[in-house]
Amino acid sequence: MGKSLSFSERIGEQFTLLNATILNSRIIWSIRWRWVANIGFFLLILISRSSGLQLDYDSIWLTLIFLASLNLIYQGIYRYKKKYTLMGELAFISIHIFMDILILTWLIHLTGGIENPLYFFYIFHIIISSIIFPRNLPYVVTTFVFVLFAVLVWAEYSNLIMHHCIYKGQLHESPVLNILIVAIFFTTVFLTTHICTSFMKLFRKSQREVTALNKLLLEKEKEKSSFYRYTSHELKAPVVSIKTSIDAVLAASGPKLPEQSRQLLKRASLRAGQMLSMLKELLELSWQQSKGRNVSSEYIDLQEILNLCVDLEKAVAESRNIRFEFITGEDIPKVRGDKNSLEKLFGNLVGNAVRYNRDGGTVRIRIIKKENGVCVEISDEGIGIAVEEQERIFDPFYRSAAAKEFTPVGTGLGLSMVRQIVDNLGGRIEVESFPEKGSTFRVCLPPGEEK
Amino acid sequence: MKKKVLIIDDDIDLVEAMRMTLEDAGLEVIDAQSGDKGEERARKEHPDLILLDIMMGEQDEGFHVAYRLRNQSETSDIPIIMLSAVGQETGFSFDPQKDEAFLPVEEFIDKPVNPDHLVEKVKSHLGY
């Protein structure tokens, strides 16, 4: 634990579920349930009154009105309080619990003491305090509850205070019943506290471990990405040098070389180029992997991105008589992501649709608005993918048999990167394909905003 | 008189390959294998253009060299073409539109650059 943390931060760090925001949300929750309890009690008393039960109704009404006013005050404080701190919220919620226990005890007294199983309701406060309060503090609350209840029972038994009967049985006069109920009450509340606090201790411990591991993981991720940057230079530099040298020789003295040598050099240059694009895609993939899922603040119009991707492929498509068909609905929401990744994602898919299309075929691009986001469908009329291969095409370096036959050039990394980017954006990708008929890739992305 | 091009790059093989291409195109080529030596040669021999690699020794040494060349009166008017082997795939991308604002070089070229392209770019900045 850091030494520079303030006291309340230190507590907060040690005890998860113990921070100002969570406590604050618990407070509004407890105010709501207090209204429910208040109304429930009110109705219950109405029923008992109409059934002719003899109770001190004036005191009960007064108590309920008091509880309601108290809750109104809580709500007012909650609403108009601007700043909240951990300690402030903790104090506020402690007052809630303390007052609730006092009022509940008073109501139990007014409605029959041990004759009324209302004392079960103490369990709520015990569980809440066991979850919220750190260390063994919950035991203080539980002890307070127990002592209060035991004193009430004893006082009614020994006639120190009046007992309000709800049965004719005069149960409060039976010493055996009194002892039995208090003993069982004791066991129940302390066992509940024990179970809750031990669970919370375990939970907090594992939370701390998870946080620590998470931190470690982030550090490793950073190391990894700097490793990739370094590797990118180290691996690419020699290949760049090889290719540049071969090209320079070919340009300067190509015509003077024997045909066979020239062809060999050209092929060497081509292979070096292929290696470079494979390295480039591998590094891109690793980069996307190490980047992981991070919410970008950019809102992007998919239509714009797709137009750009289509423009990039236009020249190749025209040379093979492939045409584009663009279908887009209205009110397509923007998506959240970074432009670079989205361009890579759709650039790859549109590129594939052109590359593996038949000459004279069509590439259909549809943007569809869905309830939970936007889907983009990119279809071609090309070679298609065999059913048994459809799962594997997203694996790194995998190229389908048909694709390999169609063109030997290709890294097998494009779709791996596509899937990685889709994952990073929190979307999903599906493929539907029939050999010789064509393929449809569907990418669904979560919406970036309401409109 | 032949125009003079200074190549600053720590990869000697790459330098030799580019030298071959540029000399073939009728240019004079001088070279330096480090940023410091490159700056010195640029000051002393005042080339007509500098080809500068971004990644030498230190990851971004080329950037610092470019800054210093631009901020010294003897070299500030020499056009600079920056060569980079890392494209945008490492998230280390350069956008000439954006980056030239704070790094006033004439152009960024991704390595490997094919001979015709190199000659074309160099000549265009030499005013051919």
Side-chain angles (χ1 to χ4, degrees):
Chain A
M1 300 290 135
K3 277 178 195 139
S4 56
L5 297 176
S6 76
F7 172 70
S8 64
E9 277 171 335
R10 218 158 55 228
I11 299 269
E13 193 171 321
Q14 273 178 22
F15 300 97
T16 5
L17 284 195
L18 192 66
N19 66 54
T21 326
I22 290 180
L23 286 184
N24 194 268
S25 71
R26 287 302 88 182
I27 285 171
I28 187 70
W29 175 87
S30 98
I31 289 172
R32 271 192 214 127
W33 278 102
R34 200 167 290 109
W35 286 125
V36 173
N38 213 320
I39 292 164
F41 226 100
F42 181 78
L43 292 176
L44 211 69
I45 298 301
L46 274 186
I47 292 168
S48 79
R49 192 175 184 179
S50 62
S51 68
L53 215 59
Q54 292 295 315
L55 288 172
D56 180 0
Y57 286 106
D58 289 345
S59 302
I60 294 174
W61 296 139
L62 220 60
T63 311
L64 288 181
I65 288 166
F66 178 70
L67 181 63
S69 341
L70 200 62
N71 210 21
L72 216 57
I73 293 169
Y74 290 157
Q75 198 154 14
I77 293 175
Y78 178 83
R79 181 161 301 170
Y80 294 107
K81 191 172 44 168
K82 291 261 155 51
K83 252 170 65 178
Y84 48 89
T85 61
L86 176 64
M87 285 333 242
E89 297 306 282
L90 213 54
F92 195 39
I93 210 157
S94 304
I95 293 169
H96 284 203
I97 290 176
F98 180 75
M99 289 308 291
D100 284 349
I101 290 168
L102 281 183
I103 293 169
L104 179 61
T105 311
W106 178 242
L107 277 171
I108 288 171
H109 164 66
L110 289 178
T111 56
I114 62 160
E115 292 175 10
N116 190 343
L118 192 64
Y119 53 78
F120 275 118
F121 281 14
Y122 283 122
I123 288 291
F124 302 145
H125 303 100
I126 284 166
I127 291 175
I128 291 168
S129 88
S130 300
I131 290 172
I132 290 174
F133 296 127
R135 297 211 175 87
N136 288 327
L137 220 64
Y139 283 101
V140 176
V141 177
T142 307
T143 308
F144 173 64
V145 166
F146 172 72
V147 168
L148 211 59
F149 181 69
V151 165
L152 174 74
V153 171
W154 173 76
E156 286 192 14
Y157 170 72
S158 51
N159 280 324
L160 275 179
I161 52 172
M162 194 197 156
H163 173 72
H164 303 272
C165 276
I166 53 174
Y167 309 121
K168 298 230 165 64
Q170 298 293 327
L171 296 179
H172 73 287
E173 285 174 5
S174 153
V176 177
L177 189 74
N178 278 338
I179 290 167
L180 196 65
I181 284 181
V182 171
I184 287 175
F185 185 76
F186 176 86
T187 320
T188 311
V189 289
F190 278 99
L191 210 57
T192 307
T193 313
H194 175 69
I195 291 168
C196 282
T197 48
S198 7
F199 173 78
M200 285 309 291
K201 276 176 193 164
L202 195 71
F203 176 72
R204 280 164 183 151
K205 193 170 159 250
S206 58
Q207 278 278 313
R208 274 203 298 281
E209 277 167 18
V210 168
T211 315
L213 281 175
N214 223 353
K215 222 168 131 189
L216 197 71
L217 206 66
L218 283 175
E219 275 166 25
K220 291 279 166 211
E221 288 277 354
K222 267 196 192 140
E223 276 174 33
K224 200 169 124 193
S225 78
S226 72
F227 170 78
Y228 283 129
R229 271 186 207 192
Y230 179 73
T231 319
S232 85
H233 186 226
E234 295 304 299
L235 282 181
K236 277 180 91 178
V239 190
V240 164
S241 184
I242 291 168
K243 188 167 163 33
T244 312
S245 302
I246 296 172
D247 288 348
V249 170
L250 273 171
S253 39
K256 282 179 258 164
L257 290 170
E259 174 62 19
Q260 207 179 7
S261 309
R262 197 170 61 236
Q263 284 309 324
L264 274 177
L265 285 181
K266 272 191 181 163
R267 281 163 67 176
S269 164
L270 203 70
R271 294 298 289 270
Q274 280 172 15
M275 184 160 170
L276 279 175
S277 54
M278 197 181 281
L279 275 174
K280 201 176 146 174
E281 279 184 34
L282 191 62
L283 289 162
E284 170 76 43
L285 176 63
S286 319
W287 177 250
Q288 290 287 351
Q289 275 168 351
S290 70
K291 208 166 73 171
R293 190 182 283 204
N294 50 1
V295 181
S296 164
S297 54
E298 258 184 293
Y299 290 107
I300 301 206
D301 185 353
L302 283 180
Q303 174 115 34
E304 251 171 57
I305 298 275
L306 284 158
N307 281 335
L308 198 83
C309 297
V310 167
D311 282 346
L312 284 175
E313 294 294 330
K314 258 210 170 114
V316 184
E318 268 166 22
S319 73
R320 293 179 50 207
N321 252 334
I322 294 169
R323 41 182 214 101
F324 288 98
E325 206 178 283
F326 218 123
I327 307 162
T328 176
E330 278 180 14
D331 272 356
I332 301 290
K334 289 186 173 175
V335 297
R336 226 172 189 190
D338 64 298
K339 213 170 164 206
N340 201 359
S341 299
L342 282 163
E343 277 172 20
K344 292 249 162 58
L345 163 58
F346 291 110
N348 254 290
L349 291 176
V350 174
N352 280 352
V354 170
R355 192 174 185 186
Y356 297 110
N357 215 329
R358 66 178 168 84
D359 288 348
T362 303
V363 173
R364 277 189 192 82
I365 300 172
R366 288 178 64 196
I367 308 181
I368 309 155
K369 185 187 173 183
K370 285 275 161 77
E371 257 171 59
N372 48 358
V374 190
C375 292
V376 177
E377 280 181 9
I378 297 169
S379 316
D380 64 57
E381 298 173 343
I383 56 174
I385 306 151
V387 180
E388 63 273 16
E389 287 186 306
Q390 288 177 9
E391 280 286 306
R392 298 193 56 198
I393 51 168
F394 296 104
D395 294 348
F397 295 110
Y398 188 83
R399 295 188 70 214
S400 76
K404 274 192 236 167
E405 198 186 310
F406 191 74
T407 165
V409 183
T411 60
L413 290 168
L415 285 177
S416 313
M417 191 166 68
V418 163
R419 168 129 90 185
Q420 185 63 49
I421 294 172
V422 172
D423 279 354
N424 288 353
L425 295 171
R428 65 193 159 81
I429 182 164
E430 289 161 5
V431 61
E432 202 174 284
S433 182
F434 302 97
E436 311 291 329
K437 293 259 165 55
S439 311
T440 299
F441 284 86
R442 185 181 304 109
V443 174
C444 293
L445 299 172
E449 54 191 348
E450 286 308 309
K451 159 74 187 71
Chain B
M1 194 192 148
K2 277 187 180 177
K3 297 255 184 176
K4 201 193 289 179
V5 176
L6 168 63
I7 305 176
I8 308 176
D9 195 323
D10 60 351
D11 187 334
I12 182 72
D13 297 325
L14 202 67
V15 171
E16 289 310 317
M18 288 193 285
R19 181 201 299 282
M20 190 170 167
T21 304
L22 294 174
E23 283 180 352
D24 219 45
L27 299 161
E28 187 190 339
V29 175
I30 55 173
D31 68 278
Q33 259 103 67
S34 75
D36 292 342
K37 283 185 191 142
E39 277 176 67
E40 202 187 309
R41 287 205 89 164
R43 270 202 309 276
K44 279 188 184 153
E45 306 187 30
H46 206 277
D48 300 292
L49 183 128
I50 296 172
L51 281 169
L52 175 59
D53 184 32
I54 290 175
M55 292 204 171
M56 295 178 288
E58 297 286 314
Q59 282 245 316
D60 51 357
E61 195 184 328
F63 285 123
H64 302 297
V65 175
Y67 268 115
R68 289 197 294 265
L69 286 173
R70 273 293 136 91
N71 290 325
Q72 288 172 2
S73 55
E74 305 111 291
T75 53
S76 61
D77 59 329
I78 308 174
I80 299 173
I81 297 179
M82 288 210 103
L83 298 167
S84 113
V86 275
Q88 43 186 212
E89 71 269 20
T90 49
F92 205 68
S93 69
F94 310 109
D95 182 354
Q97 298 281 313
K98 235 187 317 182
D99 295 323
E100 268 168 32
F102 69 90
L103 188 65
V105 300
E106 271 59 32
E107 192 148 9
F108 285 96
I109 300 182
D110 266 346
K111 288 201 272 188
V113 46
N114 83 40
D116 296 342
H117 189 58
L118 179 66
V119 171
E120 184 192 315
K121 287 285 173 200
V122 168
K123 284 193 165 172
S124 77
H125 289 294
L126 285 174
Y128 278 82

